[in-house]
């Protein structure tokens, strides 16, 4: 396939849409299929929502025609993925790991909600003004703290799992792992604030350990994976900058 044929096809869209040609001065953009010179030949790859290359899609060719053939296939696949999937199809795509991750988000949310100082029963609120008596909590600490500990122990395990996945992937999976680790750190931090407000009800200091561990692990993993993603993006950009 020749360049003119590819750009004339609907899959590349008018104005070349998501088909980018770096040898013509195009710049890398999110969710695109890129054609670029590399090592005396041509490389084709897709980018994720951060414009980072999805390395599992990268191919190298000795001729432009072969590269454009591959580019056409990747553009077709990208067009198909833009179609909104059904709920069943969405879960099929994310697989078991994605489903577990979604459950972990709900678990971490439940962990801080249980200890939230705002979850008291207004119907039982006594006194007025600044009496400070808020009534009884919907989720009492004596039963809620074991739930919080279990929630953030599972969240910590999930963060470790995201680290193992993210450090082996250079594309969207790593980006998602960064987001999950950062989100877990945020939820765990909110849980700690809630526990601090209700600290008088926390008799056993061991209950503080799971959310603290989740916060530290989430921050460390998200920063480490973000740094690795940035380094990979700079390394991939270096050969193209040298040729220009």
């Amino acid at each position: 396939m020749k360049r003119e044929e590819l750009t004339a096809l609907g899959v590349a869209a008018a104005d070349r849409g998501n088909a980018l040609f770096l040898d013509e001065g195009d710049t890398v953009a999110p969710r695109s299929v890129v054609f670029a010179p590399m090592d005396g030949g041509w490389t084709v790859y897709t980018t994720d929502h951060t414009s980072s290359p999805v390395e599992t899609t990268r191919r190298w060719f000795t001729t432009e025609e072969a590269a454009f053939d591959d580019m056409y296939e990747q553009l077709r696949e990208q067009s198909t993925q833009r179609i909104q999937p059904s709920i069943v199809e969405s879960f099929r795509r994310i697989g078991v790991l994605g489903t577990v991750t979604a459950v972990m988000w709900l678990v971490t949310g439940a962990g801080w909600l249980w200890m939230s100082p705002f979850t008291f029963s207004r119907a039982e609120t006594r006194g007025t003004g600044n009496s400070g008596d808020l009534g009884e909590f919907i989720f009492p600490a004596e039963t809620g703290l074991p739930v919080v500990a279990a929630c953030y122990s599972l969240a910590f395990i999930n963060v470790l799992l995201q680290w193992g996945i993210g450090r082996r992937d250079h594309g969207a999976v790593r980006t998602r792992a960064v987001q999950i680790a950062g989100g877990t750190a945020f939820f765990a931090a909110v849980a700690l604030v809630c526990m601090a407000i209700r600290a008088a009800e926390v008799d056993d200091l061991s209950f503080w350990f799971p959310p603290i561990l989740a916060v530290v692990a989430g921050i460390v993993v998200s920063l480490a994976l973000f740094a690795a993603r940035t380094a990979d993006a700079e390394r991939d950009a270096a050969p193209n900058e040298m040729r220009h």
Side-chain angles (χ1 to χ4, degrees), residues 56-71:
T56 54
T57 67
R58 187 187 290 276
R59 304 287 185 273
W60 184 84
F61 305 92
T62 57
T63 65
E64 288 191 7
E65 288 76 9
F68 291 141
D69 286 343
D70 184 73
M71 195 174 188

Side-chain angles (χ1 to χ4, degrees), residues 3-211:
R3 189 185 304 244
E4 295 76 14
E5 294 176 303
L6 178 64
T7 55
L9 294 172
V11 72
D15 232 8
R16 285 183 289 204
N18 285 34
L20 302 176
F21 301 88
L22 300 193
D23 61 330
E24 293 185 358
D26 289 345
T27 57
V28 178
R31 297 186 175 90
S32 301
V33 179
V34 178
F35 170 87
M38 182 179 182
D39 298 333
W42 310 94
T43 184
V44 175
Y45 60 88
T46 62
T47 59
D48 60 21
H49 68 283
T50 66
S51 299
S52 299
V54 180
E55 293 298 332
T56 54
T57 67
R58 187 187 290 276
R59 304 287 185 273
W60 184 84
F61 305 92
T62 57
T63 65
E64 288 191 7
E65 288 76 9
F68 291 141
D69 286 343
D70 184 73
M71 195 174 188
Y72 171 70
E73 294 300 327
Q74 293 203 45
L75 283 164
R76 284 187 57 190
E77 182 177 348
Q78 193 178 73
S79 298
T80 303
Q81 290 175 350
R82 291 196 195 102
I83 300 174
Q84 188 68 26
S86 64
I87 295 178
V88 174
E89 178 64 15
S90 297
F91 276 99
R92 187 189 69 79
R93 288 184 182 181
I94 65 177
V96 174
L97 179 60
T99 303
V100 170
T101 296
V103 171
M104 283 299 99
W105 277 102
L106 296 176
V107 165
T108 51
W112 70 258
L113 179 63
W114 198 294
M115 287 303 294
S116 172
F118 305 106
T119 54
F120 61 87
S121 174
R122 292 182 182 275
E124 297 178 6
T125 300
R126 299 179 296 277
T128 59
N130 297 319
S131 66
D133 191 349
L134 303 178
E136 296 182 0
F137 283 99
I138 297 174
F139 306 118
E142 59 267 21
T143 57
L145 286 171
V147 175
V148 174
C151 286
Y152 286 97
S153 295
L154 292 173
F156 170 70
I157 294 173
N158 188 44
V159 169
L160 293 185
L161 183 61
Q162 296 304 321
W163 163 251
I165 296 168
R167 68 190 183 90
R168 293 192 299 269
D169 184 89
H170 301 277
V173 173
R174 175 177 289 176
T175 299
R176 186 165 61 248
V178 172
Q179 294 169 344
I180 292 170
T184 299
F186 171 77
F187 276 123
V190 173
L192 283 172
V193 171
C194 292
M195 289 177 66
I197 294 173
R198 296 176 63 179
E201 302 173 71
V202 185
D203 297 325
D204 190 343
L205 294 179
S206 64
F207 286 117
W208 292 90
F209 184 67

